[in-house]
Amino acid sequence: MEIRKGVAVSPGISIGKCLVIDAEDYRIPRRAIQPTQRLTETQRVRNAFKDAIEELEKLQAGQKELKVRDIFAVHLSFLKDRSLRKKITDMVHDESVTAEYAVSKTLRDIASHFATQKDGYIRERAADIYDIERRVLKYLVGEVEQEIRDLTEEVVIVARELSPTQTAGFNKEYVKGLASGAGGRTSHTAIVARSLGIPAVVALEDITESVTGGDTVIIDGNRGIVIVNPDDATIQQYLEYAVEFAEMEHRLDLIKEKPAETRDGVKVSLYGNIEFPDEAELVLKRGGEGIGLYRSEFLFLNRDTEPTEQEHYEAYARTVSFFKSKPVTIRTVDLGADKYTQARRYIREPNPFLGLRSIRYCLQNLTMFKAQLHAILRASVLGQVKVMFPLITNLQELMQAKMILGDVMEDLDDEGIKYNRNMEVGIMIETPAAALTASMLARDASFFSIGTNDLTQYTLAVDRGNELVSTLYSSVDPAVLRLIRTVIQDAYKARVDVTICGEMASEPEQVMLLLGLGIRKLSIASPMIPEIKQIVRSVTIEECNKVARKVLSMNSERQISSFLRDSARKILPEAF
Ligand code: PEP
Ligand code: MG
């Protein structure tokens, strides 16, 4: 039994057999297999080589550059070398290790050997071997991903790293838990796991080195613990804990019909965050009053082609039809950074979070942007649709986006299509630049939604998905809180509505602070709505104001976090 501590990102308990996904561009850990699996694994090696050869032959045939064709020829001669393949399959057989490990180990040994040679030409061949390794591993990893798509029994997934696209594609019926080496609490992978209601723990570093496919694994998404090969007593203890947790969730569900109102009668609006139209029903079920953040870019992930205008429209129409007159806030596509379309997957930018992402990407891809706006406008007559632009960093961007929206409105007029001419147009405040110029932006936005996930990342210069710096990432850092306060004050002066839609709004310990800072609208991951409502119903605004005043007088994140924890525990001990 091995107990590993990571970061809890999606609540719940799951116990199951694990399936391991390796990352093709990362060191593959040595993992043992059962003797009965040797035949399957050696066959996997042969298939992966066969697929890699076929791919390379096609690339070579289509290549006009003679030099590049020569490089492909060298790679092909390696891939076709029978002795190399035999060395790998022998290793799988003799040492009972996975196909991935045998391929990676053998090829990396050869590359290291080349890299130490005196002859410059041979030394340079090391890079070719790494390239060949990646090409073969791509097929082996892809095969596991296919296996996950075709699951027929429940598993928990353990991976070095999971992309939001992979996670969004998991079948909830069979994937019962996630554990990953990389990632942070507000990484999009964590956000998707939470929306899907799959217990998850991230930042487990080299967790994939501790497991073998088929091991029993417990994922404790409440405490951020993963237990590999637990003993019987631990399993029993966790089975009981899982029942207790389910009972608590059920009790919370009972407050669904009650208003989200503080003890002194102040109404707080609780909305849901969604990635897919299917989740809308869950938001309603949990007592959400509409959608505060629809991450529309998820329509682009998991597919090879761009969605058509009609596909956009159908997704929005479905969501709006659930809510009828309640608001549905559609954020225009926020692609880039860690959310790539299949087509852009291999076009890497040096600093993707500071690169061509979000509204910047839309403003450079007008046909795509206009198609989405056209669909949103068409859906605007079906209910209370609002549109929101992400990652605005200056007024020009907002004006440009609004001008394009105006152009699309004219197109609809010409086409004789009805839409809501007065649809509200808001922006996300996710950068320090936007927060500091909130008073200027307020003149051209009907509402603000503070994206605390990105705002924290950009204010503190900490990548939200990088586990190596996750201890530096905190939305209650004094710097972030000062920016949030500025935005709320400026929004209030300009009579612009302001919502918090980052993960901060889903943190039970931070709700009192947000209410004390003046927030009355929160948009939350749907599984968290009942718990947040319970907190709202347990406090008075006076108590929250006191908490906020005290927090703003503190100068360290640590002090603030521990004070917030204590305050929340005093108010509602059973929730913690
Ligand atoms: C945010 O940045 O806080 C936000 C809500 O947007 P996303 O998490 O999708 O980047
Ligand atoms: Mg964001």
Side-chain angles (χ1 to χ4, degrees):
M1 174 160 112
E2 185 177 343
I3 301 175
R4 302 287 300 260
K5 179 86 183 90
V7 175
V9 294
S10 178
I13 309 292
S14 54
I15 305 175
K17 297 269 178 241
C18 79
L19 219 154
V20 190
I21 311 179
D22 285 309
E24 69 216 50
D25 53 359
Y26 199 75
R27 192 170 71 78
I28 307 273
R30 182 187 183 98
R31 256 197 310 282
I33 53 167
Q34 300 294 334
T36 50
Q37 292 173 291
R38 287 178 191 155
L39 214 61
T40 329
E41 288 298 288
T42 47
Q43 194 51 45
R44 288 182 69 221
V45 174
R46 289 191 196 99
N47 291 346
F49 267 81
K50 188 171 145 280
D51 291 339
I53 290 170
E54 270 174 27
E55 180 194 345
L56 208 48
E57 281 177 342
K58 265 195 212 139
L59 282 175
Q60 193 190 32
Q63 182 54 248
K64 291 195 178 72
E65 277 295 324
L66 208 61
K67 277 219 169 88
V68 183
R69 284 174 64 99
D70 284 350
I71 294 172
F72 287 162
V74 174
H75 287 202
L76 275 168
S77 69
F78 266 108
L79 283 166
K80 288 180 178 172
D81 180 349
R82 280 172 192 275
S83 65
L84 172 68
R85 225 169 315 162
K86 182 162 183 322
K87 202 168 176 212
I88 296 172
T89 50
D90 281 354
M91 184 174 186
V92 169
H93 193 270
D94 300 345
E95 299 182 31
S96 290
V97 288
T98 58
E100 286 88 339
Y101 179 74
V103 165
S104 182
K105 175 85 172 87
T106 311
L107 290 172
R108 287 193 179 201
D109 281 353
I110 297 173
S112 308
H113 176 68
F114 280 5
T116 56
Q117 298 305 302
K118 281 209 184 80
D119 182 329
Y121 177 79
I122 298 183
R123 258 200 329 270
E124 278 165 25
R125 297 289 70 76
D128 291 296
I129 303 291
Y130 284 123
D131 206 25
I132 292 167
E133 180 209 10
R134 263 198 305 279
R135 198 178 294 282
V136 178
L137 284 177
K138 185 175 80 183
Y139 286 99
L140 290 168
V141 174
E143 206 182 69
V144 179
E145 288 177 351
Q146 185 58 44
E147 195 183 331
I148 292 169
R149 282 191 283 277
D150 300 339
L151 282 173
T152 52
E153 53 187 58
E154 293 184 358
V155 292
V156 298
I157 291 184
V158 180
R160 156 68 209 153
E161 189 166 8
L162 288 168
S163 70
T165 311
Q166 276 174 313
T167 312
F170 291 150
N171 181 343
K172 239 178 88 176
E173 196 180 335
Y174 298 116
V175 175
K176 293 296 174 193
L178 303 175
S180 90
R185 184 154 173 75
T186 64
S187 61
H188 284 103
T189 302
I191 288 169
V192 174
R194 209 149 39 234
S195 285
L196 294 175
I198 303 176
V201 180
V202 304
L204 290 152
E205 295 170 357
D206 57 358
I207 179 75
T208 52
E209 293 180 25
S210 305
V211 286
T212 295
D215 281 350
T216 299
V217 171
I218 296 177
I219 311 262
D220 177 347
N222 299 340
R223 287 177 281 206
I225 288 170
V226 168
I227 306 175
V228 181
N229 289 324
D231 56 28
D232 290 346
T234 308
I235 293 183
Q236 191 51 38
Q237 190 190 339
Y238 263 96
L239 286 173
E240 286 164 20
Y241 179 34
V243 172
E244 266 172 43
F245 183 70
E247 281 170 359
M248 190 194 87
E249 293 252 282
H250 180 66
R251 274 200 305 280
L252 280 174
D253 259 353
L254 299 179
I255 69 164
K256 181 187 137 187
E257 304 299 340
K258 301 202 173 133
E261 220 172 78
T262 57
R263 276 183 13 246
D264 49 350
V266 175
K267 165 92 183 93
V268 177
S269 302
L270 301 182
Y271 305 109
N273 289 353
I274 62 167
E275 286 74 39
F276 298 100
D278 300 359
E279 295 171 63
E281 199 179 350
L282 205 64
V283 172
L284 262 189
K285 252 194 180 154
R286 298 280 168 125
E289 299 161 51
I291 300 295
L293 168 63
Y294 180 164
R295 292 184 164 97
S296 68
E297 62 279 4
F298 277 81
L299 198 60
F300 284 70
L301 311 180
N302 267 347
R303 53 182 293 158
D304 295 327
T305 53
E306 199 182 300
T308 61
E309 191 272 352
Q310 180 62 17
E311 284 169 323
H312 275 289
Y313 173 75
E314 282 166 16
Y316 308 145
R318 252 188 83 194
T319 312
V320 177
S321 65
F322 271 115
F323 290 97
K324 302 194 176 79
S325 60
K326 291 180 178 148
V328 172
T329 312
I330 304 172
R331 172 174 79 184
T332 56
V333 293
D334 185 22
L335 288 166
D338 59 344
K339 287 175 290 192
Y340 283 100
T341 55
Q342 296 297 334
R344 281 186 79 208
R345 198 171 156 195
Y346 295 108
I347 310 170
R348 293 287 183 208
E349 292 175 78
N351 280 306
F353 276 96
L354 301 181
L356 189 59
R357 84 170 276 214
S358 234
I359 194 70
R360 304 169 184 179
Y361 183 66
C362 288
L363 293 176
Q364 287 193 26
N365 289 275
L366 287 186
T367 312
M368 176 201 83
F369 192 34
K370 283 186 168 180
Q372 175 173 38
L373 294 174
H374 195 277
I376 294 174
L377 283 167
R378 273 214 290 151
S380 69
V381 291
L382 305 174
Q384 201 196 330
V385 174
K386 302 181 187 195
V387 68
M388 163 161 95
F389 300 123
L391 206 81
I392 291 288
T393 44
N394 58 50
L395 187 58
Q396 286 71 25
E397 266 171 353
L398 171 59
M399 300 308 289
Q400 220 180 327
K402 282 180 75 171
M403 201 179 71
I404 292 159
L405 182 68
D407 290 348
V408 179
M409 284 181 171
E410 279 177 20
D411 292 345
L412 283 156
D413 286 335
D414 293 346
E415 293 162 66
I417 299 172
K418 286 203 171 65
Y419 62 91
N420 176 9
R421 202 170 288 275
N422 301 315
M423 177 175 71
E424 282 189 49
V425 181
I427 59 168
M428 292 196 66
I429 304 281
E430 306 187 271
T431 60
L436 293 167
T437 54
S439 60
M440 301 176 198
L441 295 166
R443 281 179 236 141
D444 281 285
S446 332
F447 63 92
F448 288 160
S449 194
I450 308 181
T452 50
N453 307 336
D454 276 317
L455 185 61
T456 304
Q457 142 168 283
Y458 293 123
T459 305
L460 303 178
V462 179
D463 180 341
R464 62 196 261 192
N466 184 343
E467 73 283 5
L468 302 176
V469 285
S470 63
T471 50
L472 299 174
Y473 182 98
S474 170
S475 297
V476 295
D477 187 282
V480 182
L481 293 180
R482 270 154 184 75
L483 287 178
I484 294 176
R485 182 183 55 175
T486 301
V487 176
I488 296 170
Q489 286 174 345
D490 286 349
Y492 185 77
K493 278 187 215 144
R495 295 177 191 279
V496 161
D497 244 0
V498 58
T499 306
I500 301 266
C501 69
E503 295 311 296
M504 200 180 178
S506 308
E507 295 287 350
E509 293 171 3
Q510 293 169 14
V511 174
M512 288 182 81
L513 168 64
L514 295 178
L515 297 183
L517 288 172
I519 287 289
R520 297 292 178 266
K521 293 185 175 184
L522 299 169
S523 193
I524 306 168
S526 65
M528 296 306 292
I529 295 174
E531 199 167 332
I532 299 297
K533 189 190 275 188
Q534 170 113 335
I535 305 220
V536 168
R537 289 176 56 79
S538 313
V539 299
T540 65
I541 289 296
E542 191 38 46
E543 285 165 345
C544 296
N545 289 346
K546 257 195 210 154
V547 166
R549 273 199 299 274
K550 179 92 181 148
V551 162
L552 288 170
S553 73
M554 295 176 167
N555 54 18
S556 97
E557 186 277 331
R558 254 202 198 168
Q559 201 186 2
I560 296 173
S561 286
S562 106
F563 171 70
L564 288 176
R565 204 170 309 128
D566 292 346
S567 311
R569 270 164 217 220
K570 263 186 225 146
I571 297 282
L572 196 62
E574 68 271 25
F576 300 92

